[in-house]
Amino acid sequence: MHDCTGVHPTDSTSPAAAVGYTRRAPEETLLYQLVAQNFDGFVADNAARGGILPWFVRREFDGFLRCGILDHGLCRLYCADCQRDRLIAFSCKGRSLCPSCGVRRMADGAAHLVDRVLPKAPVRQWVLSLPYALRFAVGFDATLCGQVLALFIRAVQRRYRRRAKAQLGLASVRQAHTGAVTAIQRFSSSLGLNLHFHSLFVDGIYLERADGTAQFRTVPPPSRRELQAVTDEVCAAVQRLRGLDLDSVQFDACRDRTAAEPLLAACAGAAVRSR
Ligand SMILES: [Zn+2]
Ligand SMILES: [Zn+2]
C-alpha cells in the first residue's frame, strides 16, 4: 500500500506540502508554553506550603507536556515505494488538558455513536447548564454529578412519555420508551469550571407493542412552556438532594472530599470563578 500523499519534512517548499502531513508541534502553542513554564513552579510552591495535587492531575499535566514531542518517544514509519521515513510522536491519550487527544477522543466517540449506538431516528440535543452555586459541588463530587444528571434525564424522559401518552392515546406512559446518551462537559469557553450536560435524546418514543416489538413514533418539538416545566422539575428535584440551596455556593455539599484534597478544591473554587 502506498499512501504517502504527504511530504517529507525537508520538502516544505514543494506545492504538495500544503496537503501533506505536518507535525503539529504542540511545543509552539501558547497553552503548552504556559504549562511548561509554570506547572513545576506551581507544584513546588504549593508543596512548600503542604499542598499536594492528586496523582491523576499530575499525570494529566506530565502526559500533556510529553504528548506529540519526538524526544519522548516516537514511531518511525517507512514507505518502501518512495523510500521515505516519517516520524510520528506518541500521544498522551489524556482526558482533560490535552487538546489534541481531546479532539481525537471526541471524533472517535462521535463516530462510535453514529455508527453503532444511535438508532435511525431523529435526535434532539437537550442541554442543562447549572447555577453557579452548584458548579463547584458537581465539578468536585462525581456522585452528586451523577445524581443531578439522573434527575435531568428523568425529567426529559417524563416530558416525552407524557406527550406521547396524550398524543397517541396510550393507556399508560409505561408503553412509551425513550433513549439518550449524555456527554458531560466540565469547562466553559474560557476554561472555567462549568460542568454541564449535553444529552442527545431520540426525538420521540418507542411504542411497545403486544408482541414485544417496538415502533418509533415522533413527538412534536417542546414548547417554551414545556422547557420551563422541565427546568422547574429538575430545579426542585436538585434542591431536595442533600438539602442543596441554589442561592449560595455549595462548598459544604462535598465537605468530606474537599477536606481530603484541599489544593484541588482551591483550584476548583478558583476555576468556578474563572480565575
Ligand atoms: Zn510513499
Ligand atoms: Zn495528548
Side-chain angles (χ1 to χ4, degrees):
M1 191 180 81
H2 180 265
D3 65 352
C4 285
T5 50
V7 166
H8 192 272
T10 56
D11 283 350
S12 60
T13 54
S14 97
V19 295
Y21 168 81
T22 310
R23 192 182 151 262
R24 64 187 170 89
E27 70 280 7
E28 291 173 13
T29 64
L30 180 60
L31 177 64
Y32 187 96
Q33 289 165 6
L34 279 172
V35 173
Q37 287 161 17
N38 296 293
F39 184 64
D40 283 346
F42 174 80
V43 170
D45 287 351
N46 281 287
R49 294 196 293 268
I52 305 294
L53 276 179
W55 62 270
F56 57 87
V57 176
R58 294 224 47 155
R59 181 192 60 190
E60 291 288 313
F61 277 85
D62 290 342
F64 169 65
L65 289 174
R66 300 162 71 90
C67 183
I69 306 291
L70 293 168
D71 294 1
H72 295 296
L74 58 93
C75 171
R76 178 179 171 184
L77 304 178
Y78 174 70
C79 175
D81 285 350
C82 62
Q83 292 165 8
R84 278 179 180 162
D85 284 319
R86 177 161 296 161
L87 304 180
I88 311 285
F90 292 146
S91 60
C92 71
K93 300 178 176 61
R95 301 181 69 91
S96 57
L97 181 66
C98 179
S100 173
C101 292
V103 166
R104 190 179 54 241
R105 194 180 295 278
M106 179 182 74
D108 284 352
H112 173 69
L113 287 178
V114 170
D115 293 345
R116 296 170 192 274
V117 178
L118 297 175
K120 287 195 168 31
V123 166
R124 179 177 299 276
Q125 178 175 214
W126 294 70
V127 178
L128 181 71
S129 56
L130 300 168
Y132 273 95
L134 201 55
R135 289 179 188 175
F136 175 83
V138 292
F140 212 81
D141 185 333
T143 306
L144 181 63
C145 175
Q147 289 172 325
V148 173
L149 174 60
L151 293 172
F152 172 50
I153 296 295
R154 263 182 252 140
V156 179
Q157 264 178 340
R158 268 196 292 274
R159 179 265 162 189
Y160 275 108
R161 294 178 111 180
R162 278 197 296 252
R163 196 73 200 256
K165 182 176 180 231
Q167 183 188 316
L168 305 172
L170 306 180
S172 162
V173 291
R174 288 174 194 278
Q175 292 168 275
H177 299 276
T178 62
V181 291
T182 298
I184 300 177
Q185 187 175 339
R186 295 183 59 88
F187 54 88
S188 63
S189 54
S190 58
L191 295 184
L193 174 60
N194 174 11
L195 190 144
H196 57 285
F197 306 115
H198 290 266
S199 295
L200 297 178
F201 268 83
V202 175
D203 201 23
I205 55 102
Y206 284 92
L207 189 59
E208 192 179 338
R209 290 185 287 210
D211 63 0
T213 60
Q215 180 193 21
F216 181 73
R217 304 291 291 268
T218 55
V219 164
S223 63
R224 244 170 206 287
R225 239 172 101 185
E226 283 179 296
L227 291 179
Q228 187 64 53
V230 168
T231 309
D232 291 346
E233 205 174 316
V234 176
C235 186
V238 167
Q239 284 179 299
R240 285 194 294 271
L241 276 177
R242 305 189 199 174
L244 292 174
D245 169 11
L246 299 187
D247 292 326
S248 58
V249 178
Q250 298 296 295
F251 290 115
D252 284 352
C254 44
R255 199 177 342 184
D256 296 350
R257 288 162 209 254
T258 54
E261 296 288 0
L263 179 56
L264 187 63
C267 292
V272 165
R273 296 184 288 266
S274 293
R275 283 182 189 156

